Amino acid sequence: MRSPSVGIIDLGIGNHHSVKKACQSLGARVFVSHDQHILDRVDLLILPGVGSFPHALHALRERSLDTFILGAHNDSRHILGICLGMQLLAEYSEEETHTPGLSILSGGVHSFPHFSTHIGWNSVYLNDNLTRNSLALDDNSFFYFNHSFFLTPSSPDVSHFSSFGQSFPAIAQNGNTVGIQFHPEKSQSDGRKLLSFLIDRSIS
Amino acid sequence: MIKKRLSAVVNVLDGLVVQSLGFNSYLPIGDPQYVLLNLDRWHVDEIILQSISRSRKALGPDFDLLNSISDLQLSTPLIYGGGIRSPIDADSVISLGADRIIVGNLLYSDPYQLSSIVKHVGKQAVIGSVPFSSIIPFIPINYVSKRSYPNFNFLSELLDLGLLSELLLIDYNAEGYSANWNDLFSPMFPSFSVPLILFGGLTSPPDISRLLSLDIVSAVAIGNMLSYKEHAYQNLKRSIESPSLRPSFYSSVL
């Protein structure tokens, strides 16, 4: 069986390094690129993100990657947004200024009260409205979070929540597009297991 | 609910992991790669990698160190501190695999740069580091110039601007020594508007447990005591017996 391929969307900002190494350690062939011809051929597209929403959105639009990602989603390709990458998939963000997003996930992105930051290890739990844990997460899993903004909790796309003074979306899904607020590449065994699941699912 | 963290500090001097004693003397431990791989295997909550003396020698970040560990496939959150002077330094350090950065000397030498750095990498990625004297509590010390300041008003002003996500508060006199955390620091805590990472002389499980129970404390950092025993980290975590921490992890794969 061929090894899966992963395309990390390169916006010219942030840390692709850890995501790349994590995927390689799981046996995937990894390409870091903003070239749509290269990204078109991979099994799983990853949109990472560090920094600010407006800055990252601008970088996406400059490279015409916003329309590329929308097209990939509409073609039911497998897409994973991590942290800011998840937020970019939303309808808009209020970070710095109101900025429209890619509108793949319902809802907007808002800051925690008093601009506090959610940093550290936290658990996630299945949305009460769902009966099936589609990502096969263990109840005792912990994941590493590092963010100040989060997706609207009432979004119908939310599959898993976490808690930081209030419930907030940890994972949201729309078709084959998954947005993860935490960093699976920095979440040790639990994160590797989830990444492995998503990579394998992209070729099944 | 979010867990508190037990952070593992790794001090590197001239490419070698060292045991630091009071910011003044250093004993060699070994190669950074092996130390970090062990900590990753032990599933520590996070690694604080400090390249010491970079600011004192005006050297900038230790890119040789970061490049040397970049292929290790660490899956543990990594915080880097040492020599960061500018947004370009901060960007470069993060692009090499650090998740967050620590700024220390910059808080004194060029605090205006802090705002630019935060704009580039985001506030959640920036931690301020300030050693405090435990002989005269509440007195911050610049470890580069060894100069002490009459108060920490400058720090409070930076915190009120919302530029730091956490503050690494170091007991300057206890750093590197055992079971010596000075409880005279506690009255200072309400003055800070960000969560605190406490470091310096913290080795006693009851002390660590008590400090972790405080709302304002998000993490306790430990350094030297991790270097001399297998599973030192996991055993310490188990001894602390705090429900606010993630459980210990013992890897079955060598």
Side-chain angles (χ1 to χ4, degrees), chain B residues 20 22-23 50 52 56 102-108 127-152 154-155 167-175 181 185 188 192 197-200:
Chain B
S20 167
F23 288 90
Q50 300 197 122
I52 50 186
R56 197 176 287 161
I102 289 175
V103 290
N105 185 57
L106 190 72
L107 300 178
Y108 304 92
I127 301 166
S129 169
V130 181
F132 278 83
S133 164
S134 53
I135 296 172
I136 309 172
F138 315 160
I139 299 298
I141 296 174
N142 180 336
Y143 77 95
V144 173
S145 65
K146 308 282 189 201
R147 180 187 157 195
S148 60
Y149 291 77
N151 56 58
F152 55 91
F154 76 97
L155 185 58
L167 183 67
L168 174 63
L169 194 161
I170 304 171
D171 183 337
Y172 182 86
N173 301 98
E175 191 264 346
W181 176 262
F185 285 124
M188 271 199 317
F192 298 118
I197 305 170
L198 304 179
F199 178 54

Side-chain angles (χ1 to χ4, degrees), chain A residues 14-15 17-18 21 25 50-51 115 117-123 142 144 146 148 163-164 185-189, chain B residues 1-3 5 43-45 70-71 73 75-78 94-100 121 123-124 165 246 249:
Chain A
N15 174 12
H17 186 87
S18 303
K21 289 296 175 188
S25 75
V50 174
F115 300 102
T117 48
H118 180 222
I119 300 171
W121 296 87
N122 210 336
S123 51
F142 283 94
Y144 182 73
N146 183 10
S148 311
S163 177
F164 180 55
E185 77 280 11
K186 289 289 175 155
S187 297
Q188 297 166 344
S189 305
Chain B
M1 181 153 156
I2 191 164
K3 293 295 185 183
R5 290 135 38 214
H43 277 33
V44 300
D45 292 332
S70 65
D71 283 335
Q73 297 180 348
S75 60
T76 298
L78 179 68
I94 285 179
S95 70
L96 283 171
D99 300 288
R100 303 170 75 201
V121 300
K123 168 187 150 183
Q124 66 274 8
S165 58
R246 278 193 311 161
F249 176 88

Side-chain angles (χ1 to χ4, degrees), chain B residues 18-36:
Chain B
V18 295
Q19 179 178 343
S20 167
L21 297 164
F23 288 90
N24 271 317
S25 54
Y26 307 101
L27 299 174
I29 299 288
D31 188 313
Q33 295 197 3
Y34 296 115
V35 172
L36 293 176

Side-chain angles (χ1 to χ4, degrees), chain A residues 20 24 37 60-61 87 90 92 103 110 113 126 149 151 157 161-162 166 180 184 186-187 189 199:
Chain A
K20 177 181 173 185
Q24 284 176 333
H37 296 107
L60 270 179
R61 293 218 160 100
Q87 296 170 11
Y92 65 88
S103 295
H110 304 271
L126 191 63
F149 291 80
L151 182 69
D157 297 325
F161 288 96
S162 188
Q166 64 183 84
I180 290 179
K186 289 289 175 155
S187 297
S189 305
I199 291 171

